[in-house]
Amino acid sequence: MRKGLSFFVLVLSCSLMVAQEPKAPAVSTSATTPQAAPAGPPPPHTLLDGTPVKLRLSQSISSAEAKVGQEVPFEVVEDVKVDDAVVLPKGAVAAANVTEAEHKKSMGRAGKLNIAISYARLSDSEKVALRAVKEAKGGGHVGAMTGAMVATSIVFFPAAPLFLFIHGKDITIPQGTEITAFVDGDMHLEMARFGVTPPTIATASAATPASVQAILAIGSTPPGADIEVDGGFVGNTPSTVTLNPGSHQIVVKKKGFGDWTKTLNVTGGTINLNAELEPAPGQ
């Protein structure tokens, strides 16, 4: 009895000591938590990464006949616009490639058909790269598509869906099956190639006498680059634009090349510039 009572008193004493032990003050981490930088506005004249592109299969494809490397034709279902201009029209050509194809085998083993989306062709005949999922994470060119039932963001016909594996059958994807692919990476566009007329430069005000305005004749090597004055698109090289007196920021851009930038202090007369564009790293 005494032993039991002594044990009870010891446990109670330890509990009180623990309860009375002062606690370390909580450290607030809110002041040290880095804040995410606000997202800036999207770059002008750019077909943005992750833009959805709805596609329709142009012809049926079967694991019985498909070959690895074979191009699979699609067509664009809806217009895609940049700056309110259609750059990828309805009916435009798109393509995927067969990455794996096996016809049905003996012992009741079904066929296999894997397809990776590749590209769509813009109105200016350039190709825009596509992927099968919205977020570009580790091999994002793979998704899943099953007959008439398609999950958005999918372009891959795998061995996974059970109802495709009818015992000993080949996999067939019918013509007209629709999917959604996504633009793979930002793509800067030369909007003049899509019928967009350069806007009148804001600095050429009617209130400024023509006698004090300057004429800027600007070219580039190579030609066909976008010209921006004070952040606004004014045309493609070679071009001539009118500027009011003052300081102006001139930028010349072309896909695959680094931007060329120059600040001008304009007082009048004619100014001739030629932008020597350097290939971008990795080009």
Side-chain angles (χ1 to χ4, degrees), residues 133 135-143:
V133 293
E135 300 297 334
K137 293 181 180 178
H141 286 234
V142 189

Side-chain angles (χ1 to χ4, degrees), residues 35-186:
Q35 300 295 321
H45 324 312
T46 301
L47 185 54
L48 296 176
D49 177 69
T51 298
V53 180
K54 294 186 178 180
L55 304 175
R56 180 185 296 122
L57 186 62
S58 299
Q59 65 183 40
S60 299
I61 184 168
S62 170
S63 61
E65 302 171 350
K67 306 293 183 183
V68 172
Q70 173 185 337
E71 189 169 88
V72 181
F74 285 80
E75 63 176 335
V76 177
V77 177
E78 296 180 358
D79 291 343
V80 176
K81 296 182 178 182
V82 171
D83 299 344
D84 292 326
V86 175
V87 298
L88 183 60
K90 178 180 178 180
V93 173
N97 295 99
V98 177
T99 58
E100 186 176 9
E102 295 180 4
H103 58 75
K104 65 180 181 180
K105 300 179 180 179
S106 58
M107 305 299 292
R109 289 178 292 177
K112 184 184 295 185
L113 182 59
N114 293 352
I115 295 181
I117 195 65
S118 179
Y119 69 88
R121 195 171 292 279
L122 301 173
S123 299
D124 66 347
S125 298
E126 292 286 336
K127 293 179 180 179
V128 56
L130 301 177
R131 63 174 181 263
V133 293
K134 186 171 180 62
E135 300 297 334
K137 293 181 180 178
H141 286 234
V142 189
M145 180 161 78
T146 64
M149 178 180 175
V150 181
T152 336
S153 76
I154 293 189
V155 213
F156 165 61
F157 314 104
L162 295 179
F163 63 87
L164 279 182
F165 281 90
I166 303 171
H167 192 65
K169 298 291 185 180
D170 281 305
I171 297 174
T172 299
I173 309 300
Q175 178 182 357
T177 299
E178 294 189 1
I179 64 164
T180 300
F182 298 88
V183 172
D184 189 15
D186 290 347

